[in-house]
């Protein structure tokens, strides 16, 4: 897409049902047999279809009475495109999974970003929080990567928040890297040490880069881009690092998205090193507030959640990730009881190893049913709100998009009611239930971002999607190079040493069957 092409549009979108968003009383606001008038990418009016019969003939028309219109979905936690499984990395606990990423084949950033963006848009996701895995090399390399990533989202037509993970310690384990390196064989140390050094970037340089990104992208595309900050995790950041990041966030009015308490080992680290929980430590550092989203939160206890609610933070729930890596299940129902806004993220990929948010929503709904007859559970509308309005807030687009109502950006997904029915859904079935449980990629017909059509007949139309997929396949199918084989050999040599470390860090005798979060009762 050239910079001269329109980023928004004027149109009328017809639908038999419009899911506008959840009302303060928890019910879904719905309009029937309606049309949405979009002017310069903004919803101007939602009214009965008959109101648009006379004076709007000059506007392009989309949709039909067979369509269900809903807000564009938001993937609030995303890293990169080609998945680790596709690259030969087997699933493992997080601490043994992440180090293997270092052996994966490097993919062209633009192609990699477009790949996941295709999957997201074609399943109804119009906005993403893209968390780059971290800076390496020289400053010109950082800007080239950021430009390629954000340029790809601009090219395909998605809104995006962009941040890069910031670390200044403990890259390999929960202990100093020097101790870990000293115990490694020379061949493994000789391969991994230079790569750790390349990630050792002065914090001041990273903050300067954040300012530069903000100036070059947000100020020129404020409707489509947010530049945020991403301290990687408590065990990866010193107190000084965290305080500098959060001060920069306040200075630049940026959102902060921080991985926290993803695994039980991360909870153990905080208590071992600080004598209290990770959330308590962040509060003591004055690093919590309404601009903060805590990713995962699987091992937060009730006291932690009280603090999160008091400070006005949001949580990004990554359900598939927690299950696939054995990290845990976030206590979402306890979060909702405290009125903590919960967003949804697909993280590296969802339960089907793709970026289909409609599938992630189904998993979230089922995962938090909990046993009992009368307990409060997320209904379909609540899950939809997590995947739209709450997600938009975490990226910095709160009050701007995430709902379908006048004054909001026209990020709209049309699902075909007939495909949802297959062959029929009783009229008594709430539409939101039909969309959540029977809707999906197969039913997504058209997708609009700012009133601009980006998906038609279920396929992305803003780029040559088939050419992107073909080029990616060709690059991935090339034979391994000698350097790539050496990388895998080094990783295979590293993993046994990491396993030995973690056997001492977490005693295997403390295994508890399906003890999945801090709310579980202990015998």
């Amino acid at each position: 897409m050239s910079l001269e092409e329109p980023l928004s549009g004027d149109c009328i979108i017809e639908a038999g049902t419009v899911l506008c968003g959840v009302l303060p009383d928890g019910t879904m606001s719905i309009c029937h047999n309606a049309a949405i008038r979009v002017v310069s990418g903004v919803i101007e009016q939602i009214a009965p279809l008959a109101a648009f019969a006379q004076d709007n003939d000059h506007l392009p028309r989309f949709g039909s009475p067979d369509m269900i219109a809903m807000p564009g979905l938001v993937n609030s936690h995303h890293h990169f495109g080609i998945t680790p499984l596709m690259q030969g990395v087997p699933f493992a606990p997080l601490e043994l999974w992440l180090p293997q990423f270092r052996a994966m084949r490097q993919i062209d950033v633009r192609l990699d970003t477009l790949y996941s963006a295709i999957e997201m848009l074609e399943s109804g996701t119009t906005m993403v929080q893209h968390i780059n895995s971290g800076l390496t090399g020289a400053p010109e390399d950082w800007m080239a990567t950021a430009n390629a990533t954000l340029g790809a989202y601009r090219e395909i037509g998605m809104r995006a928040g962009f941040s890069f993970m910031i670390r200044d310690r403990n890259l390999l384990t929960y202990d100093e890297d020097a101790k870990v390196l000293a115990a490694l064989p020379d061949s493994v140390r000789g391969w991994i040490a230079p790569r750790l050094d390349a990630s050792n970037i002065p914090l001041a340089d990273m903050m300067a880069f954040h300012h530069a990104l903000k100036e070059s992208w947000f100020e020129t595309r404020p409707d489509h881009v947010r530049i945020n900050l991403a301290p990687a995790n408590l065990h990866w950041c010193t107190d000084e690092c965290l305080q500098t990041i959060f001060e920069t966030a306040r200075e630049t009015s940026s959102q902060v998205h921080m991985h926290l308490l993803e695994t039980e080992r991360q909870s153990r680290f905080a208590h071992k090193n600080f004598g209290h929980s990770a959330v308590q430590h962040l509060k003591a550092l004055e690093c919590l507030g309404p601009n903060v989203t805590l990713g995962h939160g699987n091992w937060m206890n009730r006291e932690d959640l009280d603090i999160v609610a008091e400070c006005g933070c949001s949580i990004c729930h990554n359900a598939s990730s927690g299950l696939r890596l054995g990290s845990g299940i976030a206590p979402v129902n306890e979060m909702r009881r405290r009125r903590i806004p919960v967003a949804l993220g697909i993280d590296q990929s969802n339960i089907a190893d793709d970026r289909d948010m409609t599938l992630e929503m189904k998993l979230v709904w089922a995962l938090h049913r909990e046993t009992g007859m009368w307990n409060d559970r997320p209904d379909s509308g609540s899950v939809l709100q997590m995947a739209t309005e709450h997600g938009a807030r975490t990226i910095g687009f709160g009050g701007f998009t995430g709902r379908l109502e006048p004054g909001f950006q026209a990020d709209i997904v049309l699902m075909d009611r007939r495909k949802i029915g297959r062959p029929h859904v009783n009229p008594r079935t709430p539409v939101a239930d039909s969309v959540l449980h029977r809707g999906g990629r197969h039913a997504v017909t058209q997708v609009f971002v700012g009133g601009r059509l980006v998906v038609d007949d279920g396929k992305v139309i803003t780029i040559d999607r088939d050419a992107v997929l073909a080029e990616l396949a060709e690059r991935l199918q090339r034979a391994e190079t000698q350097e790539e084989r050496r990388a895998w050999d080094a990783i295979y040599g590293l993993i046994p040493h990491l396993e030995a470390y973690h056997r001492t860090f977490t005693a295997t005798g403390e295994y508890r069957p399906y003890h999945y979060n801090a709310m579980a009762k202990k015998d």
Side-chain angles (χ1 to χ4, degrees):
M1 184 188 80
S2 70
L3 289 175
E4 289 73 26
E5 285 191 54
L7 300 177
S8 60
D10 299 349
C11 62
I12 292 175
I13 299 172
E14 303 176 15
T17 303
V18 180
L19 300 179
C20 301
V22 173
L23 297 170
D25 65 1
T27 61
M28 176 64 71
S29 174
I30 298 178
C31 297
H32 294 288
N33 299 316
I36 306 168
R37 187 171 193 268
V38 180
V39 177
S40 298
V42 177
I43 298 172
E44 184 179 80
Q45 183 183 11
I46 302 176
L49 184 59
F52 295 88
Q54 295 291 328
D55 301 327
N56 299 283
D57 291 342
H58 63 288
L59 294 178
R61 286 182 176 252
F62 301 97
S64 76
D66 292 318
M67 295 298 132
I68 299 172
M70 58 185 283
L73 304 175
V74 180
N75 181 0
S76 301
H77 190 117
H78 168 75
H79 293 293
F80 51 83
I82 298 300
T83 71
L85 182 67
M86 297 166 71
Q87 288 256 44
V89 175
F91 290 112
L94 181 78
E95 292 84 357
L96 301 176
W97 187 61
L98 290 178
Q100 298 183 65
F101 287 17
R102 295 180 180 275
M104 295 193 305
R105 175 169 291 181
Q106 296 300 303
I107 306 298
D108 176 83
V109 173
R110 171 182 171 271
L111 292 175
D112 189 63
T113 303
L114 288 176
Y115 168 68
S116 56
I118 289 169
E119 290 197 324
M120 285 187 275
L121 278 173
E122 292 182 352
S123 55
T125 295
T126 57
M127 185 191 306
V128 63
Q129 176 80 287
H130 186 111
I131 308 170
N132 178 274
S133 297
L135 305 179
T136 59
E140 55 268 24
D141 299 326
W142 314 340
M143 189 59 78
T145 296
N147 286 343
T149 303
L150 287 168
Y153 288 123
R154 178 184 65 196
E155 186 179 355
I156 204 168
M158 285 186 72
R159 298 187 203 275
F162 180 86
S163 57
F164 50 93
M165 294 180 76
I166 302 168
R167 309 171 181 86
D168 71 340
R169 66 173 177 181
N170 303 348
L171 300 188
L172 291 176
T173 65
Y174 292 101
D175 208 341
E176 296 177 13
D177 292 317
K179 293 182 180 179
V180 181
L181 290 172
L184 296 178
D186 291 343
S187 59
V188 177
R189 186 190 315 112
W191 186 87
I192 193 71
R195 285 155 179 80
L196 297 184
D197 289 341
S199 301
N200 185 20
I201 297 167
L203 184 59
D205 292 353
M206 288 190 276
M207 296 303 97
F209 178 58
H210 172 75
H211 282 277
L213 267 181
K214 196 102 173 178
E215 182 177 351
S216 64
W217 276 99
F218 172 69
E219 294 184 7
T220 57
R221 290 176 53 80
D223 288 353
H224 285 75
V225 171
R226 295 290 184 269
I227 303 299
N228 298 322
L229 285 157
N233 208 313
L234 188 61
H235 64 283
W236 279 321
C237 296
T238 62
D239 290 354
E240 295 77 13
C241 175
L242 289 171
Q243 290 174 317
T244 299
I245 292 169
F246 281 88
E247 180 58 33
T248 300
R250 288 187 284 269
E251 291 174 357
T252 59
S253 300
S254 301
Q255 298 291 308
V256 176
H257 192 113
M258 181 176 181
H259 292 63
L260 196 74
L261 292 172
E262 182 173 356
T263 71
E264 194 170 10
R265 278 78 65 189
Q266 293 173 6
S267 176
R268 176 185 291 267
F269 171 87
H271 284 280
K272 178 182 177 181
N273 286 271
F274 307 119
H276 51 235
S277 75
V279 172
Q280 289 174 310
H281 194 67
L282 289 177
K283 181 182 179 182
L285 295 176
E286 299 184 347
C287 292
L288 297 176
N291 68 322
V292 176
T293 298
L294 301 173
H296 299 284
N298 297 331
W299 292 92
M300 290 183 183
N301 60 32
R302 290 178 176 86
E303 184 178 358
D304 292 336
L305 294 178
D306 289 340
I307 293 170
V308 169
E310 175 190 348
C311 294
C313 302
S314 297
I315 300 288
C316 182
H317 177 34
N318 304 303
S320 286
S321 174
L323 293 176
R324 299 178 98 194
L325 302 178
S327 299
I329 299 174
V332 166
N333 290 338
E334 292 283 349
M335 295 170 183
R336 295 182 67 247
R337 289 185 189 107
R338 292 162 174 78
R339 299 188 182 279
I340 298 170
V342 177
L344 301 184
I346 295 176
D347 202 353
Q348 198 45 67
S349 58
N350 70 8
I351 205 76
D353 210 52
D354 64 11
R355 276 72 179 212
D356 186 343
M357 181 58 77
T358 66
L359 185 60
E360 188 74 7
M361 292 162 63
K362 291 175 175 62
L363 175 63
V364 168
W365 180 90
L367 192 59
H368 300 291
R369 299 294 288 164
E370 295 190 330
T371 59
M373 291 184 67
W374 318 119
N375 44 298
D376 183 29
R377 308 175 174 102
D379 62 10
S380 299
S382 298
V383 174
L384 181 62
Q385 186 179 38
M386 294 177 193
T388 55
E389 185 176 3
H390 288 175
R393 166 181 166 161
T394 68
I395 299 176
F397 286 100
F400 186 79
T401 188
R403 298 178 62 86
L404 300 187
E405 60 183 54
F408 276 62
Q409 291 284 309
D411 297 356
I412 301 171
V413 175
L414 294 183
M415 283 196 189
D416 191 327
R417 185 192 300 271
R418 297 162 298 185
K419 293 181 179 180
I420 289 174
R422 301 188 321 270
H424 175 71
V425 172
N426 191 290
R428 291 184 177 85
T429 302
V431 177
D433 287 1
S434 296
V435 167
L436 176 68
H437 296 292
R438 298 187 59 84
R441 184 194 302 269
H442 70 282
V444 172
T445 301
Q446 293 178 317
V447 177
F448 303 81
V449 177
R452 177 176 177 240
L453 184 65
V454 295
V455 171
D456 194 20
D457 196 24
K459 302 294 184 184
V460 166
I461 62 171
T462 47
I463 62 168
D464 188 339
R465 65 181 300 281
D466 293 337
V468 168
L469 298 177
E471 185 172 356
L472 266 175
E474 188 277 327
R475 294 190 183 203
L476 289 167
Q477 290 165 9
R478 294 174 186 171
E480 280 188 354
T481 66
Q482 182 176 353
E483 180 57 34
E484 288 171 338
R485 287 192 294 273
R486 184 184 175 212
W488 281 110
D489 289 342
I491 290 300
Y492 292 148
L494 173 65
I495 293 299
H497 294 271
L498 298 185
E499 290 176 344
Y501 168 85
H502 286 291
R503 288 186 185 279
T504 62
F505 187 81
T506 304
T508 56
E510 293 189 4
Y511 166 75
R512 292 179 293 274
Y514 219 72
H515 174 64
Y516 56 83
N517 64 33
M519 306 298 161
K521 293 181 180 179
K522 297 181 180 180
D523 296 331

